[in-house]
Amino acid sequence: MALALLGSTALTAVTAQAADKEISWIYCGDTIDPVHTKYIKQWEEKNTGWKVAPEVVGWAQCQDKATTLAAAGTPVAMAYVGSRTLKEFAQNDLIVPVPMTDDEKKTYYPNIVNTVTFEGTQWGVPIAFSTKALYWNKDLFKQAGLDPETPPKTWAEEIEMAKTIKEKTGIPGFGLSAKTFDNTMHQFMHWVYTNNGTVIDADGKVTLDSPQILAALKAYKDIVPYSEEGPTAYEQNEVRAIFLDGKVAMIQAGSGAADRLKATKISWGITTLPLGPDAKGPGTLLITDSLAIFKGSGVEDKATEFAKFITSPDVQSEYELQGGAGLTPLRPSAKVDEFVAKDPHWKPLIDGISYGGPEPLFTDYKGFQNSMIEMIQSVVTGKAEPEAALKKAAGEVEAFK
């Protein structure tokens, strides 16, 4: 009996040891991407005794689940999160830093690493990236008497063309997103970053109340009459659906719009986002999702190693460049050059990166986001003038940094 108990105890110890070598991963989505499945297996084969255990959780619940488990003291090793939340996780001591060497940083396009950095430290590994460009309907341009091959290069041209299209065809010239939805703030940030604006600087100072952002808010007000009726009822995917139906002439959208447009009869073009008066070059909001390494799992170092492997250049480019993935590449490479040469619509989405900027990192990101949405909606609906709306929002977001 003693020998039997000893054997049982030893078996339990071995089982516990094996469990200690598991990297649990909250994976957002409906299914695991086949590229990730392939490379998880490859990594496990090279790391004997280690197992990666992804748990697929729907987009609406995945980040909340990771947060709840971490706050309860039972964290997963790693989770797919929006980079906008990294500051809040870090300041609540729920994640560990994921420092990058200078060589690692240099592999990314400019400003990408800034999306996961605050106080000089990286807190996640980018795994998904999106940018926006301007799409235009060449048929509607032609109907309005505009050159279908010449899209707007500046905000002033964009507003004037939207006005001409609306007056000549009766069809909205621009698709404006102003619904109570997170991407309403994102859509506005594209205007901020095409006018050399910032919301919060590297030292954590709120810079929202600036001439650059005021100009963006005034441009929003100016384009409202030539946009779809009732923009507060639409978020960006709903605006995209109107564009795909030929019922709006210009929209800001990512690579997913190009994939869908190829299945339509619309004659369309894509270019970098029009520039504001203070722009230094083509810009866009740089949105990344990241792998965050949670504190207290006991496998932080190995989880960091795996996170860097599954987002390494060869693996990541295979994941990004699948047809229909809807992602902008995180890094320049010969593969990306080949991809762009084959499908030129990618070029404007990449060209905007150089002067693009990150989602502003706030401790209370939702509070910040809600203030920005309220500011945008108050101007779009005419309830407030841009100057007053901007000052109000700037005062509010101080509490969220």
Side-chain angles (χ1 to χ4, degrees):
M1 184 179 294
L3 286 172
L5 287 170
L6 181 62
S8 175
T9 303
L11 180 61
T12 301
V14 169
T15 303
Q17 186 179 16
D20 287 341
K21 291 192 173 184
E22 180 177 278
I23 298 173
S24 52
W25 177 8
I26 287 186
Y27 189 106
C28 298
D30 300 319
T31 59
I32 299 174
D33 191 281
V35 171
H36 289 152
T37 300
K38 170 184 169 181
Y39 285 103
I40 287 171
K41 183 179 178 183
Q42 185 182 111
W43 187 86
E44 288 174 339
E45 288 170 351
K46 291 181 179 179
N47 291 268
T48 306
W50 286 91
K51 177 179 175 57
V52 178
E55 178 188 357
V56 178
V57 181
W59 290 104
Q61 297 84 30
C62 62
Q63 188 147 309
D64 286 344
K65 181 163 187 177
T67 305
T68 300
L69 290 171
T74 55
V76 291
M78 182 173 78
Y80 186 119
V81 302
S83 298
R84 67 184 75 90
T85 62
L86 292 173
K87 182 175 181 178
E88 186 173 357
F89 281 137
Q91 292 191 330
N92 283 288
D93 201 29
L94 297 179
I95 59 176
V96 299
V98 189
M100 296 182 187
T101 66
D102 288 341
D103 286 342
E104 285 175 325
K105 293 176 187 177
K106 287 175 185 174
T107 66
Y108 293 93
Y109 280 115
N111 303 316
I112 302 295
V113 175
N114 292 342
T115 67
V116 298
T117 302
F118 80 94
E119 295 180 351
T121 301
Q122 289 75 56
W123 294 90
V125 186
I127 190 170
F129 175 44
S130 70
T131 56
K132 296 290 187 289
L134 184 81
Y135 289 80
W136 80 97
N137 183 317
K138 294 183 179 182
D139 297 327
L140 292 179
F141 268 54
K142 192 173 182 179
Q143 286 179 36
L146 298 171
D147 181 352
E149 302 302 326
T150 306
K153 291 184 172 60
T154 66
W155 291 353
E157 291 177 358
E158 183 175 29
I159 294 166
E160 187 59 34
M161 289 180 179
K163 179 176 185 288
T164 298
I165 292 164
K166 183 72 179 285
E167 290 177 349
K168 294 288 181 67
T169 70
I171 293 173
F174 185 77
L176 192 65
S177 300
K179 194 173 185 175
T180 304
F181 206 74
D182 61 357
N183 60 47
T184 284
M185 193 271 289
H186 295 160
Q187 287 283 311
F188 180 71
M189 288 302 299
H190 295 298
W191 293 65
V192 171
Y193 287 129
T194 51
N195 198 38
N196 196 33
T198 60
V199 168
I200 189 168
D201 66 18
D203 297 322
K205 180 183 176 184
V206 173
T207 54
L208 182 63
D209 191 4
S210 69
Q212 291 77 21
I213 297 180
L214 178 59
L217 208 49
K218 286 181 174 179
Y220 245 53
K221 178 185 177 182
D222 291 344
I223 209 166
V224 167
Y226 318 119
S227 302
E228 80 282 7
E229 188 175 348
T232 56
Y234 296 92
E235 52 93 4
Q236 66 182 17
N237 289 339
E238 292 165 336
V239 167
R240 184 180 67 189
I242 301 171
F243 183 83
L244 293 170
D245 200 30
K247 300 296 175 60
V248 68
M250 293 181 282
I251 60 167
Q252 296 178 160
S255 61
D259 294 327
R260 288 165 175 80
L261 280 162
K262 290 170 186 175
T264 72
K265 295 181 179 180
I266 292 172
S267 177
W268 59 279
I270 179 172
T271 187
T272 50
L273 295 172
L275 303 180
D278 288 336
K280 292 185 176 180
T284 177
L285 172 63
L286 310 176
I287 298 181
T288 67
D289 290 333
S290 305
L291 297 178
I293 309 302
F294 282 81
K295 188 174 183 178
S297 70
V299 295
E300 290 91 337
D301 289 346
K302 205 67 178 177
T304 299
E305 178 189 310
F306 172 74
K308 289 193 174 185
F309 166 78
I310 204 69
T311 59
S312 59
D314 288 345
V315 178
Q316 185 69 23
S317 63
E318 188 174 335
Y319 170 56
E320 291 165 340
L321 300 179
Q322 313 174 69
L327 301 174
T328 303
L330 283 161
R331 298 175 176 92
S333 69
K335 282 185 180 178
V336 170
D337 291 343
E338 183 182 333
F339 204 73
V340 171
K342 191 181 299 182
D343 201 342
H345 86 259
W346 281 99
K347 190 174 186 304
L349 292 160
I350 292 171
D351 285 350
I353 296 171
S354 295
Y355 292 93
E359 284 187 274
L361 295 182
F362 280 78
T363 302
D364 182 354
Y365 184 85
K366 286 188 177 178
F368 158 68
Q369 177 181 276
N370 290 340
S371 285
M372 291 290 284
I373 292 171
E374 184 181 342
M375 175 189 77
I376 294 160
Q377 289 179 334
S378 69
V379 170
V380 166
T381 58
K383 290 181 180 177
E385 290 300 314
E387 293 87 349
L390 185 59
K391 286 189 181 300
K392 179 175 182 290
E396 290 174 351
V397 303
E398 282 286 347
F400 306 134
K401 64 181 184 180

